[in-house]
Amino acid sequence: MKGLRFLLSRAAQGLIVMFGVSALVFFALFLTGDPAVLMMAPDSTAAEIDAFREAMGFDDPIIVQYGRFLVDALQGDLGSSLRYSRPAMDLLTERLGATALLALSALLWSSLLGFLLGAIAAVRKNSPIDFAIRVISLLGQAVPVFWLALMLIILFSLNLRWLPSSGYGSLSHLVMPSVALGAYYLSAITRLVRSSLIETLGENYVRTARAKGLTEWRIVVRHALRNAMIPVVTLQGMYLASLMGGALVTEIIFAWPGIGRLAVEAIQNRDFPVVQAVVLFAALVFVVANFLVDVAYTWLNPRIRL
Amino acid sequence: MKNISAFALGLALAFPATATFAQDDTLVIGRSASTNALDPGFLREAATIVDNIFDTMVMRDEDMKLVPGLATGWTAVDDTTWEFTLREGVTFHNGEPFDAEAVKFSLDRVLNPDNKAPTISYIRTISSVEVVDPMTVRIVTAKPDPLLPTRMSRYPAYIVPPKYIAEHGREHFANNPVGTGAYTFVDFVPDERVTLEANPDYWRGQPDIKTVIWRPIPDATARITSLITGEVGLIEDVPVDLVPLLQQTPDADLVQVENGGLTIYLGLRMDKAPLDNVKVRQALNHAIDRVSITENLLGGLATPKGTQVGAADFGYLDVPVPEFDPELSKQLLAEAGFEDGFEITLQSSFRYMKNAEVAQTIAQGFEDIGLDVNQETMEWSVYTQTVPFEGPIYMLGWGSTQTLDADAAIYAIMKSGEPYSGARIDALDALLDQSRSTVDPEARAAILQEIQEVAAEQVPLVTLYQEDKLMGKAPNVNFDGRADARIPVFSITMD
């Protein structure tokens, strides 16, 4: 029951966060300028701009606009895109698949490889192989994604001609964006698995297991890894959440039709409803992911069931 | 790295690239911007794609001359009435006939204030459209409008099918467009592609290229790579820095449309000191080494200019490029009472060729004549909200590629009170007003040229240079680019 109360309080906190985010995205955008001026043709007259502003409802008191926004948002209506003349929600859901595919594939390969490398590095602590893995993972986190992406394009598309340079539609299109995006997470996960596992391997119950004569790998896989996973699961939850909000740079460079690209274009064009939809969605994913991480905690470690 | 490349290799072998590598009769075109919607009356972007689906009554040939399109001829009945004779036997892709009612419908829906068309300003001189008979239409303007035939050659004057739109609604139409043009619509996947197919019944004949796929590829390196690898056959927007990449490879050619781009200038806020002083403005005009900027910084991909009007525009006057003469500038400043210079802000963005570098060079030139320059560089969406309100000096690009008439190149940025103008010069305002109410072409050309003379003397803004338009193409694609920046696939062939 304590666990349930814990989860309920977490859910309530999530609701408050969502409310705060909705207020923030709404007011912050309006502080940046007049959308009507930007949306109209450059040689429009002031009267034409006024008419457009009125049609879009930009001339109502801002608190009225916020109220309207909140009521509609609760019903799943985030307004119509100013540029596409289509519901912002539709634009978002259309791109959800592409973003999810990229996010999950990047996180999947980087997690699998990260666990493997991290475990090897932890078991062979301070050996040359540990050193090599640490250097690689340091590089992976230090290299900016746009640079890595361009290097991949130049190597695999321009020089070797193995992979299409950009676009969407087949597995070969997915390879480079997924590699570019996952490189950072590979490094982060490797490092975290290594340090977390080294800590766990020093615990008393591990020493007991060793005393029982179990092999080192059996100890790692059966006993230590599960406990070492707690911080890693947190990290993955947060990574997945941030990736679902769109991988801005990766999606732009590889012309990937995902949420990140939608967000960047909407910001550039002051497409308010779309920007709001993307930010709200990203916040929602974050809150939900956070909640799921809490659920996973209680399952992985009963001590957290306060 | 070995891990990654092995992984990539494995996948590449398992799933051979299915990218549409250019086939004989398919042209893939890579663009920097995504398309939002395809209704030609309500565009918030360049008309590049819809231009291939729809036709206008008046068209432009390769030399930018106005030629008959869906209208076979037009005459001015009086100062404010134009009569267009329409082409017989043309049908929309859905079989609907093209007639005078379609023309009236197409223009009326943009002019109707209830529809809030973002493009209304381009045809707002029209007061009514009258159907005389099924093949004759009269357009009445509120005041004499010499540019009306030109306005009928560009968006939003594309002719759309009235019955189809009435039946399906505007939103459906924007995503499933039907026109009279050389290509019919196949599919539109936002941020991914727009596919068009040759219209076998096109009134100008069958297009050579059977399928056109427009792909948005926002990153310039990825766009150029896709051209070199053959994934696309034509690309828009080649940044200056990447030009050498295209020049070195045998797999792609640079398409350089000389003077096909915008004319870059420094806008000046003239409503307060010190830019209200003509000698100060002249001093700025002579403190910039335009030749060095275009040669050294822009690699010869732009041409120094003395007027905002393009050489191909109606009403062009060959104004000499202002000389780079810092001594003269210092003298002019002294005459204006600013021997010790003054502090001033120069704003710019990242929009144009090497924008930030050019702005820095100009700022340096201004410092050399004794000014204290604060440079502000802003992201474009912020910048457009700022100009021309802050300044007092702001760098912008302006063009007349859509009308090829001096009016488009100067009116909006030189007339007092226009949203993008910082200028306040009475003599210019009077001439600009006069140019808009004069129908006789010769008289109008004379006024437009006089405006450029006055501007050269009064410096309502500092004209810098005109950019070339840079595109890239595969060696087997025959396309030289056009001064009006369109890509009419109908006129492109492939070997």
Side-chain angles (χ1 to χ4, degrees):
Chain A
M1 271 308 102
K2 271 183 183 167
L4 185 66
R5 198 182 307 153
F6 169 73
L7 291 178
L8 276 177
S9 85
R10 282 307 174 108
Q13 284 170 14
L15 277 179
I16 294 168
V17 168
M18 285 309 296
F19 185 75
V21 169
S22 77
L24 256 171
V25 293
F26 187 82
F27 291 110
L29 268 178
F30 272 78
L31 288 178
T32 60
D34 182 353
V37 174
L38 192 80
M39 311 267 344
M40 293 290 283
D43 52 351
S44 308
T45 63
E48 283 157 2
I49 293 174
D50 286 345
F52 180 76
R53 187 181 294 122
E54 193 192 318
M56 289 295 169
F58 293 147
D59 57 341
D60 290 334
I62 197 160
I63 199 79
V64 172
Q65 294 188 50
Y66 177 59
R68 196 164 50 209
F69 166 74
L70 214 53
V71 170
D72 290 347
L74 284 174
Q75 295 163 350
D77 175 8
L78 293 169
S80 248
S81 158
L82 305 182
R83 280 177 71 85
Y84 285 90
S85 313
R86 292 181 53 210
M89 199 67 163
D90 290 3
L91 295 172
L92 192 69
T93 45
E94 267 172 18
R95 286 160 176 79
L96 197 55
T99 287
L101 179 64
L102 181 58
L104 289 172
S105 71
L107 210 55
L108 185 72
W109 79 259
S110 59
S111 294
L112 290 178
L113 201 57
F115 266 104
L116 187 67
L117 293 180
I120 293 173
V123 173
R124 301 256 185 278
K125 193 172 70 170
N126 295 333
S127 71
I129 190 162
D130 174 34
F131 181 73
I133 288 172
R134 276 156 64 195
V135 168
I136 289 170
S137 56
L138 194 67
L139 277 178
Q141 273 189 298
V143 165
V145 64
F146 74 87
W147 183 85
L148 181 60
L150 290 179
M151 289 303 118
L152 289 172
I153 289 179
I154 289 170
L155 180 61
F156 292 107
S157 297
L158 199 57
N159 292 335
L160 298 173
R161 312 238 165 153
W162 288 349
L163 295 166
S165 54
S166 66
Y168 178 73
S170 75
L171 250 168
S172 59
H173 286 103
L174 177 63
V175 177
M176 289 198 297
S178 181
V179 168
L181 190 60
Y184 176 89
Y185 301 104
L186 169 68
S187 308
I189 291 168
T190 303
R191 285 154 61 100
L192 196 64
V193 168
R194 178 184 178 274
S195 60
S196 177
L197 202 56
I198 286 175
E199 198 188 316
T200 325
L201 287 173
E203 300 273 349
N204 285 335
Y205 65 85
V206 172
R207 216 174 306 146
T208 310
R210 282 209 185 97
K212 275 176 21 187
L214 297 180
T215 64
E216 191 68 14
W217 272 110
R218 200 179 159 84
I219 293 168
V220 169
V221 174
R222 288 288 297 272
H223 298 274
L225 210 49
R226 178 164 161 172
N227 283 309
M229 263 172 70
I230 292 174
V232 180
V233 167
T234 317
L235 193 73
Q236 282 174 315
M238 293 303 104
Y239 282 164
L240 183 63
S242 69
L243 282 174
M244 284 306 295
L248 307 193
V249 176
T250 312
E251 289 184 3
I252 291 276
I253 293 183
F254 291 104
W256 193 260
I259 291 172
R261 208 163 130 210
L262 180 71
V264 170
E265 276 161 20
I267 290 167
Q268 279 171 351
N269 298 305
R270 297 209 169 214
D271 196 342
F272 282 45
V274 176
V275 175
Q276 287 164 341
V278 171
V279 175
L280 275 178
F281 172 76
L284 183 68
V285 172
F286 230 96
V287 167
V288 171
N290 226 320
F291 183 74
L292 292 180
V293 166
D294 287 339
V295 174
Y297 267 4
T298 50
W299 175 70
L300 279 172
N301 185 351
R303 272 179 299 179
I304 294 175
R305 288 175 203 154
L306 299 167
Chain B
M1 205 58 208
K2 209 169 178 189
N3 273 331
I4 294 172
S5 60
F7 176 65
L9 175 61
L11 271 179
L13 291 178
F15 304 93
T18 54
T20 36
F21 284 89
Q23 293 157 341
D24 283 352
D25 52 0
T26 298
L27 178 63
V28 186
I29 302 175
R31 306 188 64 207
S32 57
S34 286
T35 295
N36 298 292
L38 297 163
D39 184 336
F42 296 81
L43 289 179
R44 293 199 172 91
E45 59 188 50
T48 315
I49 296 179
V50 295
D51 192 47
N52 288 283
I53 306 173
F54 298 91
D55 290 320
T56 44
M57 289 197 286
V58 182
M59 289 184 169
R60 266 186 207 285
D61 65 10
E62 314 250 303
D63 303 321
M64 297 300 113
K65 280 206 200 62
L66 295 181
V67 294
L70 288 179
T72 52
W74 54 92
T75 51
V77 179
D78 57 47
D79 266 7
T80 55
T81 310
W82 293 83
E83 186 171 286
F84 291 81
T85 309
L86 305 184
R87 192 175 293 276
E88 308 252 0
V90 176
T91 53
F92 288 96
H93 302 148
N94 64 342
E96 204 176 318
F98 159 75
D99 56 16
E101 286 297 341
V103 173
K104 180 174 168 55
F105 174 82
S106 302
L107 297 175
D108 279 353
R109 71 189 195 118
V110 176
L111 291 166
N112 183 349
D114 294 342
N115 287 340
K116 314 284 180 205
T119 46
I120 188 171
S121 64
Y122 298 118
I123 59 167
R124 67 165 164 241
T125 53
I126 298 175
S127 60
S128 70
V129 183
E130 294 160 10
V131 174
V132 178
D133 63 54
M135 285 295 130
T136 312
V137 70
R138 279 191 179 182
I139 298 179
V140 183
T141 57
K143 281 190 277 181
D145 180 12
L147 279 178
L148 192 89
T150 300
R151 295 187 202 286
M152 291 301 108
S153 73
R154 59 171 300 199
Y155 81 95
Y158 290 101
I159 308 303
V160 300
K163 282 201 200 87
Y164 179 81
I165 295 176
E167 236 168 75
H168 294 89
R170 225 169 80 195
E171 195 181 309
H172 178 85
F173 178 63
N175 293 290
N176 300 276
V178 163
T180 58
Y183 286 87
T184 59
F185 171 81
V186 178
D187 71 355
F188 168 32
V189 186
D191 279 350
E192 223 185 299
R193 63 166 189 272
V194 173
T195 312
L196 308 180
E197 229 167 50
N199 172 8
D201 307 319
Y202 189 45
W203 58 270
R204 285 199 284 173
Q206 266 197 43
D208 258 21
I209 292 166
K210 295 302 169 212
T211 309
V212 195
I213 299 168
W214 307 80
R215 274 188 52 197
I217 309 176
D219 184 77
T221 305
R223 198 160 59 243
I224 290 171
T225 301
S226 67
L227 176 68
I228 294 174
T229 59
E231 292 165 74
V232 307
L234 188 66
I235 56 168
E236 282 186 328
D237 296 329
V238 175
V240 181
D241 312 3
L242 296 177
V243 164
L245 199 59
L246 280 189
Q247 286 168 332
Q248 283 158 13
T249 171
D251 298 326
D253 304 329
L254 180 71
V255 179
Q256 184 177 356
V257 187
E258 240 172 85
N259 299 328
L262 297 173
T263 301
I264 311 298
Y265 69 95
L266 298 180
L268 308 173
R269 271 204 61 177
M270 230 163 271
D271 54 344
K272 52 185 179 187
L275 298 180
D276 57 345
N277 189 321
V278 65
K279 285 194 191 297
V280 172
R281 301 198 299 268
Q282 288 168 341
L284 298 180
N285 206 13
H286 289 291
I288 300 164
D289 191 348
R290 293 167 175 80
V291 175
S292 168
I293 290 173
T294 52
E295 287 304 310
N296 302 327
L297 217 48
L298 303 179
L301 299 170
T303 316
K305 297 259 306 196
T307 173
Q308 285 297 117
V309 180
D313 292 351
F314 179 83
Y316 169 73
L317 179 72
D318 187 8
V319 179
V321 177
E323 249 170 77
F324 172 54
D325 189 346
E327 289 311 313
L328 175 61
S329 293
K330 283 183 198 161
Q331 189 192 324
L332 284 163
L333 279 183
E335 285 170 23
F338 292 104
E339 296 90 344
D340 304 327
F342 48 81
E343 193 182 334
I344 198 150
T345 300
L346 167 63
Q347 296 181 316
S348 62
S349 182
F350 303 100
R351 182 86 160 179
Y352 313 114
M353 283 184 184
K354 299 212 164 181
N355 205 336
E357 289 95 326
V358 171
Q360 194 161 9
T361 309
I362 292 170
Q364 188 57 52
F366 289 171
E367 300 255 344
D368 289 346
I369 61 166
L371 307 190
D372 182 7
V373 183
N374 309 315
Q375 239 194 296
E376 282 180 9
T377 310
M378 277 170 269
E379 199 266 321
W380 179 249
S381 70
V382 179
Y383 189 59
T384 50
Q385 308 267 316
T386 312
V387 292
F389 312 111
E390 289 180 16
I393 305 179
Y394 52 91
M395 194 168 155
L396 263 189
W398 206 261
S400 55
T401 49
Q402 292 282 337
T403 56
L404 293 175
D405 189 288
D407 181 80
I410 51 180
Y411 190 91
I413 54 174
M414 289 190 185
K415 177 89 183 353
S416 302
E418 284 291 308
Y420 275 85
S421 169
R424 301 278 182 278
I425 299 172
D426 293 342
L428 264 184
D429 288 348
L431 283 168
L432 286 164
D433 279 339
Q434 208 185 329
S435 77
R436 283 216 165 169
S437 56
T438 307
V439 179
D440 175 57
E442 258 175 60
R444 215 177 133 253
I447 298 168
L448 291 169
Q449 290 177 347
E450 196 185 339
I451 293 172
Q452 293 167 74
E453 267 170 34
V454 175
E457 169 74 30
Q458 289 286 319
V459 200
L461 45 81
V462 177
T463 301
L464 299 171
Y465 50 81
Q466 185 171 16
E467 295 181 342
D468 290 343
K469 173 130 180 124
L470 302 178
M471 303 170 73
K473 68 174 192 68
N476 69 328
V477 173
N478 303 311
F479 182 59
D480 297 327
R482 280 170 61 107
D484 63 3
R486 297 185 198 201
I487 306 178
V489 183
F490 178 74
S491 63
I492 301 177
T493 56
M494 289 196 294
D495 300 332

